[in-house]
Amino acid sequence: MERLSNSTLGLLVHQVRSGELDREGFLQAAKEAGVPAERAQQLAGEALAAWENQRRLRESPREAYDFIVIGAGSAGCVLAARLSEDPANHVLVLEAGGSGTHPDVFIPSRWRFLLGTELDWSYQTVPQRHAANRVIPCPRGKMLGGCASNNASVWVRGHHQDFDSWAARGNPGWDGETVRRIFKELEDYSGGEDEYRGVGGPLRISRAADPHPLAHAFIEGAQQAGVPMTRDYNGARMEGAGFFDLCIADGERFNVARGLLFPAMGRPNLTVLTHAEVTRLLFEGNRCTGVEFRHGGQVRRVRATREVVLSAGAINSPKMLMQSGVGPADELQALGIPVVRHLPGVGQDLQDHILVAGINYESSVPLPQPRGNGAEATLWWRSHAALSRPDIQPVLHEFPLVTPELGPVPDNGYALVPGLVRPASRGHLRLTSADPSARPIIDMNYLGHEADVEALRIAVELCREIGASRAFDGFRKRELMPGPRGRAATVEWIRKATTCFFHPTSTCRMGVDERAVVDSRLRVHGLEGLRVADASIMPEITSGPTNAPAILIGEQASRFMLATRHG
């Protein structure tokens, strides 16, 4: 695809693929975008073929598929693509949301405007008693691509010790060296191939093309505060300051849906249903045999001859298990749900990173509009030198960021946003009703452990030091919040400023202990024909945004499943 600066080509192609734009409309728009006529005809033909293929498949549904994938998010897109590479496999993907053709999905810096819309599940926590008793939003993508379609488009693998820790908990094949090789195979990295980075894979990864002046100031200010640069946080050393790797190509979001799912939608053995919300899994004894779902105003059932894979995310995957009778027996019985399998860990060990929104500044000069993803620079650091790996991750936001309890702030500003990426606190998720449409109880238990409060206090002070550095002298008019405070006052402010980092994990944890839900091959303990493959299986949250690890999980799951079939 031609590299057209600030083009909308990906959006236009997806609108054709989704049946929202005809050939003539696409060709005219492509011409206006400067796309060569021959290339435009090729793209239109491919997109229309995918649309016609999916239309035919929807009109003639099968009674059974080899594999059913629930959720077309970061992991589900990988599974759909990989499982359908073999034409002998008939694959059905059920996505509760729509196609995701809103223009803001394709404009990386406008991710924040998608939150709370119809493209978001718009979940909320219960009042967080350690965070000033506030209800905190928990956004989850509801469209093809899932959260990869409404996140900040960053590519962060995680620290190699994260994965070594997973393996040490009884999960062979998840160690840092193994996942390094898999990440390399997934990447098409603009910086070229080396020991750590890959080229030629399905996912286009690049550094910020023209970083915002604030992003440069952040990295310079971090060095002035004693934090060195890291050449590549996805390479040899994570710790330090640097520009984000971004899932952006030609100025547009290039997520896992574009890299893997969309190209596969022309295959005659892959059916992708949108607006298809699963109500429960179907069992015969200990075997999962299919799913029940709502689609087109009807409740439908479909069988899986081989396996069902839950890839609905750390909120909806445990929710679906519990509403289908898999989870803590006493809780299910209290709601009148027949128990299929007692697994006490379902919905437990909920983890999320924490953002503190935020160290806000008013600018002394008019600021350029946000560039790239609007948050192009970050750093990883240790709140205490004795830690083995970074636990805090401040992020520059090229716009103000504040919780409702502390805002508003002037528009002409920016924020240095402290983040905690190795939280000690653990929460949980529970059902409120046997009705699948009922929203679950989500308790992140933010700041429930004093170690989290102290780490964030240190992160706040680091951000304030960077914000006050010489590097920001040309931008900083004044610090709006929190300003100089003593320890107690800073902690009080943190409790009011704490918000979601959009990275819930670990509610269907992988492992061998009594609270583990899946084994190292992601098979649900005690059941057949059922796996979970998404961020919910993480034994412990990774030290950074979780989109890339979720894609890794989908890739691993596909390899396990295909190896089983051919082994």
Side-chain angles (χ1 to χ4, degrees), residues 8-37:
T8 58
L9 190 56
L11 170 62
L12 295 172
V13 170
H14 189 40
Q15 288 175 333
V16 176
R17 187 187 297 109
S18 302
E20 298 178 13
L21 184 65
D22 61 18
R23 178 187 288 271
E24 290 71 25
F26 172 80
L27 292 176
Q28 180 59 38
K31 180 179 180 180
E32 294 172 0
V35 182

Side-chain angles (χ1 to χ4, degrees), residues 383-416:
S383 62
H384 296 284
L387 295 174
S388 64
R389 55 193 134 147
D391 64 330
I392 56 177
Q393 186 203 349
V395 180
L396 169 76
H397 283 57
E398 298 161 7
F399 48 85
L401 186 68
V402 66
T403 58
E405 293 81 5
L406 295 174
V409 293
D411 289 336
N412 188 42
Y414 55 94
L416 275 61

Side-chain angles (χ1 to χ4, degrees), residues 282-289 303:
L282 304 176
F283 291 91
E284 293 179 7
N286 285 332
R287 181 170 187 83
C288 184
T289 57
R303 291 188 297 111

